[in-house]
Amino acid sequence: MTPTLHLLLLPLLLSVACGQGLKDKKGPLENKALDVPEQTDVPYPIYQFQVSDPDVTGFQLTGEGHEDIQIAEDGWLYLAEPLDWARNSHYIIGVEALVGSDVVEGPAFVTISVLDINNHAPTFEQSAYAAMVRERTRHGVPFVRVSASDLDDPESPNGRLHFSLVSQIPNRNKTPFFQIDPVTGDISITEDGERMLKARESLQYGMGESFSSANLKKKFDDYCTPTQDIPHELNPFYTCLERAESRTRGGDRQEDPDYTLIVRVEDLAGASENALSSITSVKVVVEHNLWVNPGPLTVREHLKAQYPMVIAKVGANQPNASYRLQQKERETLRFPFSITDEGEVLLNEELDREEKDMYILVVMAEDHHGDEVESPMEIQVVVEDINDNSPECGSEEIVFEIQENEPVGSVVGQLLASDRDEEGTSNALLMYTIKTVLPVNGAFSLDAVSGRILTRDMLRRSDSTQYTLMVNVSDQVFSTMCKVLINVIDVNNELPLFEKNNHGSLSLAEDSSVGQTVLTVKASDADDPGTGSSEILFEITGNHGDTFAVETDGNGEGRLVIVKPLDFEAFPTYTLGINARNPEPLMAGLDYDSKSSASVFISVMDVDEDPEFQSSAPPSVSVPEDLPVGELLFTADAKDPEGKDISFKMEGDVNGWLVLDAATGAVKTKAKLDRETLEVLELTITAFEQGNPKKATERVYTVRLLDVNDNHPKLKESQAFICTKGPQPVVLRAVDPDSFPFSEPFTFSFPKGKKSPNWEITTVDGSSALLKMKKAPAEDKTFSIPISIIDNQGLGVTQKFEVTVCNCTSLGYCYVAPATHSFKYGMGTTVGILAGTMAFICIAFAIVVHRINKSNEEKKKKAAAGNADSEQML
């Protein structure tokens, strides 16, 4: 459509547009920001500028987009051609009002943002992809990525892509072996694929071997010894094998892939029936995985063999890889394993399970540069136990005690022997047998499995006070003789008796130290000394709060000691009962009485104690750093044991952010907190008696400030330069004092997500991006580029970044012509030089005048003297 036709149709178009809600799209000549959809019918009215000057005869446009956007004489800005977001997402146009050819108003700048519509289908970067995956690859690990792009706005749903797997060919078992990440396009195998995916059957070639006719014939002869002298080419078995190997290893495997995957990409995030889409294919070849873990391996300990001995073999998928072996555990220096260049794992000496029952070998496969070609493989080597250890008794003599006259079948004790062989196996299964009993055989029985000893007769001290048993402890190969002594002790028919039963009253100060001995008690027992019947233990009654305990050596003397601090306010008095008891039970019909008990009354004397904090553990408070002023953080919970009035003071508030109520202990904010200045505050709160400040107690309270998003990312540098010859991108680096998730990763862009025809921003990592110049200017120039940087939570501002584009020296710095520095000065410098010059001239002039005057005076004096001489001569 010609411009003339545009102007002819524009009045009719505008009259229709006014009836469609565009009446308000008019106003004075001033800066405007307008949104215009792409691919609209033209001419399309955008906005009408109205001016107050009645002499205005027309308007003119400056800036970009003249071929698409025009303006009529009456001020209507309109589209002459449909806009395309993919070609240009925004325009900046200057509008000026004219009287004839003279500009009388303006320019006003109009920013037109092109609104994207979903008019471009996504396209794959390749019409078909080729990929290789090995057997037993771990599921979820990508082995190929498909990539697609969309010319629509990537920040809108129109440009949000979604990948899906349409089909897998073949799929005979209806089991998907492959999966795709819907966002990234990464393709990996499924759990079923990890387990079931198989490569085509083929011969395996060792290191340095490759598929060739000669190698194939050799392997055929090795596996299939010919019974007749038939040439290979005439042997149907060989020719069948040759065709299979040629199909597997020869030619282009992608022409005959194992699987073909059909992949679809959709825009609108794949969530709409109206989404546009395209498809591609991925041809997948499944290769054999030679890097297979041969473990776990089992090696018998003390194996008699020729060392070094091959216990396993590994092979990398990359030919000519070299292998390295190391031990995973670091607790032992002895490592009796090595590996050959061919991947053979060697055991170099005998193993001892009792020294170490398992080794973990880490095998690395590397190329000739030392770079890993396979992921490290961990092989478990389990050391198998053999019966090479005898049972052990534990000590030379095992001693048990039993009272006389115990009923038949009473348990004497249990003999517990041990065996260093593997527990839970037959090598460590022990059997117990009594060989001899002295002085009387047959008095005891022994459980052969548990080692528990029982009485078979009622024992009497008059018959024997001690028995000696020789017990044979054996496993399937070895045996050991253990000596057991059984002492028959007297019946506990005597009570322990105190020397003094009533110890009266005692007074203890409240601040008496823990561990202090309060009282010593003594008791005796007439039973056989050195037995459980005569050993004396002490028990306490009336011991509130377990404040006291009796320490004893078992010989009848006990010391009553303080084991916890005394507290007058809690327990001002104690009435303690101390009972003497034997570890052996008393004989039937005999009971403890008052003679086996002692008593003491203890009074606790009150002292003026320091205030006490109530909670047992010092509190730690976590609050957000944007807590309002006046908010309560915590209250110090201290009290005085005697109920006296206390006050509080606080130390450690180095920034003056907090205030303490001295009466209540409440700590509140009085200023804005800032985590970036100080993250953890350690406050020392002191509680002290108002009448006696020396009576004080301290406690440290920790206040941790939690981060909030109160800082925006800032550029580390605000200027840079680019050489016009061989321009390199400028690195934009930003920092944010906030912590995650309120800081990195940053998003770098132009304001409002707009695109620039001259500059491009590419993200490098979470804190930096590259600013690339698309088109160099015709001359050296400095650009002030607005850069929008937002943090992970969307907080950010637009910042100016100044870039100077210039010709550079060989050292890579901007070149500045000498003339611009040597002879050109600023106004201040020029005035200074001029003033100095004038001052110098004035001084020189004054000196010259002075000397001339002085010379004239000298001439007059000489002339006067000459006249006088002449008169005298006359």
Side-chain angles (χ1 to χ4, degrees), residues 619 621 632-636 650 658 665-668 683 685 701-703:
V621 180
L632 176 67
L633 294 183
F634 62 88
T635 300
M650 178 175 66
L658 309 177
V667 177
K668 299 181 179 180
L683 307 174
I685 306 296
Y701 288 76
T702 301
V703 179

Side-chain angles (χ1 to χ4, degrees), residues 38-94:
E38 66 173 335
Q39 303 300 332
T40 58
D41 294 334
V42 293
Y44 178 83
I46 301 175
Y47 193 85
Q48 184 180 25
F49 291 100
Q50 298 175 336
V51 294
S52 57
D53 190 345
D55 297 329
V56 169
T57 58
F59 297 83
Q60 69 176 12
L61 301 181
T62 61
E64 54 190 2
H66 288 171
E67 66 279 6
D68 299 329
I69 304 169
Q70 298 182 13
I71 191 167
E73 291 182 355
D74 59 356
W76 267 102
L77 191 69
Y78 66 95
L79 294 183
E81 296 293 337
L83 301 183
D84 186 351
W85 183 93
R87 179 163 53 91
N88 202 342
S89 63
H90 72 284
Y91 298 83
I92 299 178
I93 299 173

Side-chain angles (χ1 to χ4, degrees), residues 587-847:
M587 64 176 292
L590 182 63
D591 297 316
Y592 293 104
D593 57 21
S594 59
K595 297 179 182 179
S596 299
S597 298
S599 63
V600 61
F601 181 82
I602 297 177
S603 298
V604 180
M605 296 182 295
D606 189 23
V607 296
D608 189 8
E609 301 172 273
D610 296 336
E612 296 177 352
F613 286 90
Q614 302 302 300
S615 58
S616 58
S620 177
V621 180
S622 297
V623 296
E625 62 175 320
D626 61 349
L627 201 67
V629 173
E631 195 76 15
L632 176 67
L633 294 183
F634 62 88
T635 300
D637 54 346
K639 293 182 179 179
D640 186 77
E642 288 76 40
K644 298 178 181 179
D645 292 335
I646 63 173
S647 293
F648 298 88
K649 66 178 181 178
M650 178 175 66
E651 296 177 346
D653 181 20
V654 295
N655 295 300
W657 292 341
L658 309 177
V659 62
L660 168 70
D661 188 320
T664 64
V667 177
K668 299 181 179 180
T669 59
K670 71 173 183 179
K672 184 179 181 299
L673 309 178
D674 185 14
R675 186 200 67 87
E676 287 70 38
T677 300
L678 184 63
E679 183 174 358
V680 178
L681 292 79
E682 290 190 350
L683 307 174
T684 301
I685 306 296
T686 303
F688 58 92
E689 291 183 4
Q690 294 180 2
N692 185 8
K694 293 183 178 180
K695 289 294 181 179
T697 303
E698 292 183 352
R699 170 158 290 184
V700 176
Y701 288 76
T702 301
V703 179
R704 182 175 298 276
L705 302 184
L706 304 179
D707 193 25
V708 299
N709 202 5
D710 58 345
N711 292 279
H712 61 76
K714 296 180 180 179
L715 286 169
K716 283 187 176 181
E717 299 89 15
S718 60
Q719 57 185 5
F721 69 89
I722 296 177
C723 300
T724 53
K725 184 177 181 180
Q728 297 296 321
V730 173
V731 179
L732 303 174
R733 294 183 176 89
V735 293
D736 189 330
D738 290 326
S739 61
F740 183 83
F742 304 119
S743 56
E744 299 180 20
F746 303 140
T747 300
F748 295 81
S749 65
F750 296 113
K752 298 183 179 179
K754 304 299 182 183
K755 293 185 177 179
S756 171
N758 297 326
W759 302 93
E760 180 181 14
I761 295 178
T762 304
T763 299
V764 176
D765 53 32
S767 62
S768 62
L770 294 179
L771 177 64
K772 181 180 180 182
M773 182 176 64
K774 295 182 180 179
K775 182 174 64 176
E779 58 183 1
D780 290 3
K781 190 174 182 180
T782 298
F783 297 86
S784 182
I785 303 173
I787 306 293
S788 173
I789 311 175
I790 61 175
D791 61 22
N792 191 38
Q793 299 296 318
L795 178 66
V797 297
T798 298
Q799 304 168 50
K800 294 295 183 181
F801 188 79
E802 191 173 274
V803 180
T804 299
V805 181
C806 58
N807 290 316
C808 292
T809 66
S810 60
L811 297 178
Y813 296 98
C814 285
Y815 171 77
V816 180
T820 61
H821 282 279
S822 300
F823 307 108
K824 188 173 183 179
Y825 301 98
M827 179 63 71
T829 305
T830 303
V831 171
I833 294 173
L834 181 59
T837 303
M838 294 298 294
F840 176 77
I841 292 173
C842 291
I843 294 172
F845 179 76
I847 293 172

Side-chain angles (χ1 to χ4, degrees), residues 156-228:
S156 71
N158 300 334
R160 292 175 189 161
L161 304 185
H162 179 274
F163 297 92
S164 60
L165 202 57
V166 178
S167 63
Q168 163 190 308
I169 305 171
N171 191 6
R172 301 181 183 90
N173 299 323
K174 306 299 180 184
T175 302
F177 292 161
F178 304 92
Q179 58 191 357
I180 189 168
D181 188 303
V183 177
T184 65
D186 288 331
I187 298 177
S188 60
I189 64 174
T190 62
E191 292 187 20
D192 289 330
E194 179 180 352
R195 187 178 66 257
M196 302 172 62
L197 203 60
K198 300 295 181 184
R200 297 178 185 178
E201 294 294 333
S202 64
L203 295 176
Q204 301 300 311
Y205 295 88
M207 181 175 291
E209 294 183 328
S210 61
F211 170 65
S212 66
S213 178
N215 285 334
L216 182 60
K217 290 177 181 178
K218 182 178 182 303
K219 286 188 174 292
F220 180 81
D221 292 340
D222 291 341
Y223 285 97
C224 307
T225 304
T227 57
Q228 303 179 33

Side-chain angles (χ1 to χ4, degrees), residues 143-160:
F143 63 88
V144 67
R145 170 180 286 187
V146 295
S147 300
S149 59
D150 194 312
L151 294 178
D152 290 317
D153 186 358
E155 300 299 324
S156 71
N158 300 334
R160 292 175 189 161

